[in-house]
Amino acid sequence: HNHIAALAEVAQVIMLPGNHDIRAATAAATLIPELCHLKPANSDAPLLALERLLDLESVSAYVVPGGYPHAELYMFDGLARFNHGTKVKKRGGQTAAAVLEEARVSTFFGHIHRAELAARTHHGPRGLKTVYAGSPGTLSRQNGAVPGSHRPDWQQAVMPIYYRKGRLYPSL
């Protein structure tokens, strides 16, 4: 929460729910179903909702509605779509390439824990249109401490996306 609070001091915090975010609630529903409907006093969010566990309300975070895997957010005049992602390919670069095959607008996602960025240029009657697909990687530890992650092909990166005059300029 301290990292999120620090970010909230300089930027708007937006959370796209992902598959890892629902694991605590899923485990509780399986093991102790009675916990699923408990709500703390003065809150509408369930006890084990990630929003409560991270106290996102205290930093005015916006949680994109829809839940995993449906939550998506469009920005930059509709030129960029953000979602958690559902595709996973075996080798670096393959997931971004697969997303790019179907993308009609630039699509940025997580889920794969790898840093990837791919682009395709369309030539049409209104000129060139470049569409991007990319993932900034993961914030998780890469030292084997994460279960099931012995020697993973994961990267930690930052992906700033500049928007100017109707064009996107993403970079890794």
Side-chain angles (χ1 to χ4, degrees):
H1 180 267
N2 293 340
H3 298 300
I4 295 170
L7 285 173
E9 291 179 13
V10 296
Q12 179 185 11
V13 175
I14 300 173
M15 181 193 149
L16 276 161
N19 56 311
H20 296 276
D21 304 331
I22 60 174
R23 287 186 178 172
T26 302
T30 303
L31 301 171
I32 312 168
E34 295 81 7
L35 279 179
C36 295
H37 304 291
L38 286 179
K39 294 181 181 177
N42 302 322
S43 177
D44 291 330
L47 182 65
L48 293 178
L50 191 67
E51 297 94 301
R52 291 234 4 108
L53 294 173
L54 294 176
D55 193 20
L56 296 180
E57 187 176 317
S58 72
V59 295
S60 301
Y62 173 67
V63 179
V64 178
Y68 175 79
H70 307 292
E72 62 182 12
L73 177 70
Y74 284 84
M75 296 179 73
F76 307 118
D77 295 325
L79 292 177
R81 174 180 173 250
F82 297 84
N83 67 5
H84 180 77
T86 55
K87 291 185 184 301
V88 178
K89 299 297 180 183
K90 189 172 183 176
R91 292 188 171 85
Q94 291 179 339
T95 303
V99 169
L100 195 58
E101 286 294 319
E102 299 174 4
R104 299 293 170 249
V105 298
S106 293
T107 302
F108 302 96
F109 54 94
H111 195 60
I112 60 171
H113 300 195
R114 288 192 303 260
E116 298 184 7
L117 182 60
R120 181 179 70 223
T121 301
H122 300 275
H123 299 265
R126 293 186 209 154
L128 303 177
K129 176 184 176 187
T130 302
V131 175
Y132 298 92
S135 171
T138 182
L139 296 176
S140 67
R141 292 184 287 175
Q142 299 173 294
N143 61 0
V146 176
S149 66
H150 178 68
R151 300 178 69 109
D153 182 20
W154 297 348
Q155 296 85 42
Q156 295 174 333
V158 174
M159 183 180 284
I161 301 170
Y162 300 98
Y163 173 70
R164 185 162 189 233
K165 296 182 181 179
R167 294 192 60 193
L168 296 177
Y169 301 92
S171 63
L172 268 174

